[in-house]
Amino acid sequence: MNILLRPCRALAPLIFIVLCLTGQLAAQTPTTNIPPPANPPAATPKTPAEPGVSGVENSVVKVFSTVRYPDLYRPWTKQAPSELTGSGVVIEGKRILTNAHVVLYASQVQIQASQAGDKISASVVAVAPGIDLAVLKLDDETFFDTHAPLARANTLPDVKDAVMAYGFPTGGTSLSITKGIVSRIEFVPYNFPTSGLRIQIDAAINPGNSGGPAIAGDKMIGLAFSTLNNTQNIGYIIPNEEIDFFLRDIARGPYQGKPAMFDELQTLENPALRAYLKLDKSVEGIVVHEPYESDPAYPLKEWDVITKVGDTSIDDQGMIKLGSNLRVRFQYRIQQIAQNGKVPLTLVRTGRELKVDLPVSPDRPMLIPDLKDAYPSYFVFGPLVFSKATAQLLGSFSANANLVVMLSAIRSPLAVRRSDKPAFPDEELVILSSPFFPHRLAKGYGPHVGHVLKTVNGTAVRNLRHLVGLLRDSADEFITLEFDNHGGEALVFPRKEMLAATDEILNDNGVRAQGSPDMLEVWNAKPAK
């Protein structure tokens, strides 16, 4: 089966091929010094290598995952188990570093060293789908007695530096090593809402390479994670700076993510725009098109020109210089200098220079959120299955061009509000995620898969929990459902018959629970009469 690494909604410029598996999954400071970890690992005696295996090869492992992805159209169950393989590398702290997409939704993980005959069970102790990194711990830590952590470089490589990619890609079972050069270094979107540095290399990277180290000289410079679809010799690695940021984050507790700003910006290249803003020729920067917040207290306003992030100047394309031959998007500096949830900016507003502290956050609340590493919530009522709209579900719709056109034509919130923030706290789009279960109660009604519920008996539905509460507390003879789209039909059901039919429907269709645990908590909270 082919699985694409989901683009960062409409903001993503590229679609990457996820690299994992045996080839079944396919489709991506003003200086360059990386700050050292807050608590560097103590020096340890040199670890002896396995006989016949040397250097880097001894620190690279093959990762075997048994995964069960969510079944988006049958949220009461999971997809059938899939066997995936990827790569990983030994790091300090008796841990294995790999990609998140190699182990996401894994029920079983094992690793195997190069030229070893046995697999060792592992568990996922930290995962960050946004930056596509994960850390594994082994059940048998004596493995690390003969497999040393791989040294990581503390600076970015230069373009044209030679690089070698290690891993276990499709086409064989032994360790593969390919050679190329560093082609490009950029700050780009990963998985929404995360952005980060990314190194492009031309060494061959194929399905199964995901999680394997890229080496320059005798040190690791990053971790392979994707390639670009329908191209040749374009592979991507996550550089050490992003890896170290992730490792420092999880050392403090559960992964929090990287601070970012979510304002809409535009370049200052057009002469008419510059004249309209009455800017001096010496002013360079990026223009605020739409501030993230409309609150008057929010520090950014429309038409502000951001000229510096911290002490680093921003050019008219929104770029900053790193060293003498590298330019990246200015947002790169935010993750380095933000403190206590704020980043210092210098801007020009109506001809005056101002200094402000901009609130930044690792997450952007979305009306249609990402599942991350969770399974969808759901609730069954009679022949109906309700769930929440998620980015994954919407992505599955995108593969059906006719369905996308239909959603746009009926003005479904799935189409017209797909990039919105929630309009109020806890707002969700509640949808019918599945076809009706076969039952006479649904006789005569057309298909409603993907339709967004608007009201129940005239009450606007705020979220899935609210819906379950409305159904639980209703004493009306009928349940009337209206949907948030042009055209279509309302659904009317006899309430008592729906209640009576639910258990029968669950049994007939092999559904073990009427709802996910969070929804059953709401349903069962009704006081006994």
Side-chain angles (χ1 to χ4, degrees):
M1 87 187 140
N2 292 329
I3 294 182
L4 295 180
L5 188 61
R6 186 178 61 80
C8 307
R9 299 182 183 269
L11 304 178
L14 301 172
I15 296 179
F16 301 114
I17 302 175
V18 170
L19 301 167
C20 59
L21 224 55
T22 58
Q24 296 176 355
L25 295 189
Q28 123 178 198
T29 111
T31 72
T32 58
N33 288 333
I34 300 172
N39 296 298
T44 56
K46 186 175 180 180
T47 303
E50 289 277 14
V53 183
S54 62
V56 175
E57 293 93 332
N58 195 52
S59 299
V60 184
V61 301
K62 189 170 185 176
V63 180
F64 300 81
S65 297
T66 302
V67 300
R68 295 199 67 182
Y69 295 118
D71 190 326
L72 302 174
Y73 299 98
R74 303 168 72 239
W76 61 90
T77 188
K78 304 173 183 178
Q79 292 186 32
S82 299
E83 302 297 328
L84 317 181
T85 65
S87 304
V89 61
V90 178
I91 62 170
E92 67 277 4
K94 296 185 176 181
R95 298 175 294 178
I96 304 292
L97 181 71
T98 187
N99 287 139
H101 72 257
V102 175
V103 296
L104 206 60
Y105 295 108
S107 57
Q108 177 178 269
V109 180
Q110 297 175 303
I111 66 98
Q112 185 177 29
S114 178
Q115 299 188 25
D118 298 324
K119 298 176 183 176
I120 302 173
S121 294
S123 56
V124 180
V125 294
V127 63
I131 199 65
D132 200 12
L133 291 171
V135 168
L136 312 178
K137 294 286 281 185
L138 302 187
D139 290 358
D140 182 4
E141 293 191 345
T142 61
F143 171 86
F144 298 104
D145 294 343
T146 53
H147 296 81
L150 190 59
R152 294 194 298 276
N154 62 2
T155 58
L156 286 169
D158 292 325
V159 173
K160 297 183 182 179
D161 277 358
V163 61
M164 302 182 75
Y166 289 72
F168 294 87
T170 185
T173 58
S174 60
L175 180 66
S176 168
I177 306 171
T178 57
K179 185 177 181 179
I181 63 168
V182 173
S183 306
R184 181 184 288 154
I185 301 174
E186 297 178 299
F187 187 84
V188 299
Y190 274 66
N191 294 314
F192 185 86
T194 304
S195 295
L197 283 177
R198 186 189 68 191
I199 299 175
Q200 178 182 323
I201 63 175
D202 70 353
I205 294 180
N206 293 295
N209 268 116
S210 281
I215 306 297
D218 60 352
K219 292 184 178 180
M220 172 175 154
I221 61 168
L223 205 70
F225 79 104
S226 73
T227 190
L228 187 61
N229 199 12
N230 299 321
T231 63
Q232 293 183 346
N233 300 329
I234 296 181
Y236 297 111
I237 63 174
I238 304 168
N240 289 345
E241 181 165 351
E242 300 297 341
I243 293 169
D244 289 342
F245 194 100
F246 166 69
L247 294 176
R248 291 197 298 272
D249 192 332
I250 64 174
R252 295 188 291 265
Y255 179 70
Q256 299 298 314
K258 304 196 304 173
M261 63 181 292
F262 301 107
D263 309 86
E264 294 186 15
L265 309 170
Q266 68 181 82
T267 66
L268 188 54
E269 299 172 275
N270 186 274
L273 175 60
R274 177 178 287 277
Y276 173 76
L277 296 175
K278 298 180 173 61
L279 295 174
D280 185 87
K281 290 182 179 180
S282 62
V283 174
E284 288 188 277
I286 191 83
V287 180
V288 177
H289 173 61
E290 183 177 337
Y292 180 59
E293 298 284 355
S294 57
D295 188 327
Y298 190 69
L300 293 184
K301 312 297 180 187
E302 185 181 16
W303 302 122
D304 282 350
V305 178
I306 304 172
T307 59
K308 289 184 179 181
V309 53
D311 296 326
T312 305
S313 296
I314 303 171
D315 68 22
D316 289 344
Q317 291 183 325
M319 308 289 277
I320 60 173
K321 290 183 178 180
L322 298 182
S324 59
N325 59 356
L326 181 61
R327 293 169 69 240
V328 298
R329 291 167 48 209
F330 80 92
Q331 290 93 336
Y332 163 71
R333 287 287 284 142
I334 293 174
Q335 67 189 44
Q336 295 182 320
I337 65 174
Q339 294 201 5
N340 301 318
K342 293 186 177 181
V343 65
L345 300 177
T346 303
L347 53 89
V348 173
R349 178 184 298 163
T350 60
R352 294 190 306 117
E353 184 175 275
L354 303 172
K355 293 186 182 295
V356 301
D357 289 324
L358 180 71
V360 289
S361 168
D363 196 22
R364 180 189 180 190
M366 296 295 295
L367 177 62
I368 305 177
D370 195 291
L371 278 173
K372 296 183 178 177
D373 58 346
Y375 289 94
S377 299
Y378 74 94
F379 188 74
V380 179
F381 187 68
L384 309 177
V385 183
F386 298 100
S387 190
K388 308 173 186 179
T390 64
Q392 282 76 10
L393 185 68
L394 195 61
S396 70
F397 288 171
S398 300
N400 185 329
N402 291 333
L403 182 57
V404 172
V405 171
M406 183 273 290
L407 291 174
S408 298
I410 66 174
R411 302 293 294 167
S412 168
L414 295 177
V416 300
R417 298 190 63 193
R418 63 180 300 167
S419 297
D420 285 5
K421 297 183 293 183
F424 52 84
D426 300 323
E427 183 187 17
E428 296 170 347
L429 297 183
V430 178
I431 62 169
L432 285 175
S433 62
S434 312
F436 298 134
F437 285 122
H439 199 274
R440 60 177 178 78
L441 286 169
K443 181 180 178 181
Y445 290 135
H448 283 73
V449 175
H451 284 210
V452 176
L453 187 62
K454 185 176 183 180
T455 63
V456 173
N457 290 355
T459 300
V461 176
R462 300 193 302 269
N463 52 52
L464 186 57
R465 295 178 67 91
H466 182 226
L467 166 67
V468 175
L470 291 174
L471 296 175
R472 178 197 64 195
D473 296 338
S474 176
D476 296 334
E477 181 179 1
F478 293 99
I479 297 293
T480 302
L481 308 177
E482 297 276 0
F483 295 89
D484 195 357
N485 52 254
H486 294 305
E489 60 186 359
L491 303 182
V492 181
F493 299 97
R495 181 182 62 85
K496 290 184 178 179
E497 291 186 41
M498 291 284 277
L499 290 170
T502 298
D503 282 344
E504 174 191 348
I505 289 170
L506 295 176
N507 290 331
D508 286 348
N509 293 276
V511 181
R512 290 186 293 179
Q514 185 179 358
S516 52
D518 53 343
M519 294 304 114
L520 289 180
E521 181 182 12
V522 177
W523 181 252
N524 294 326
K526 184 175 181 179
K529 293 185 178 180

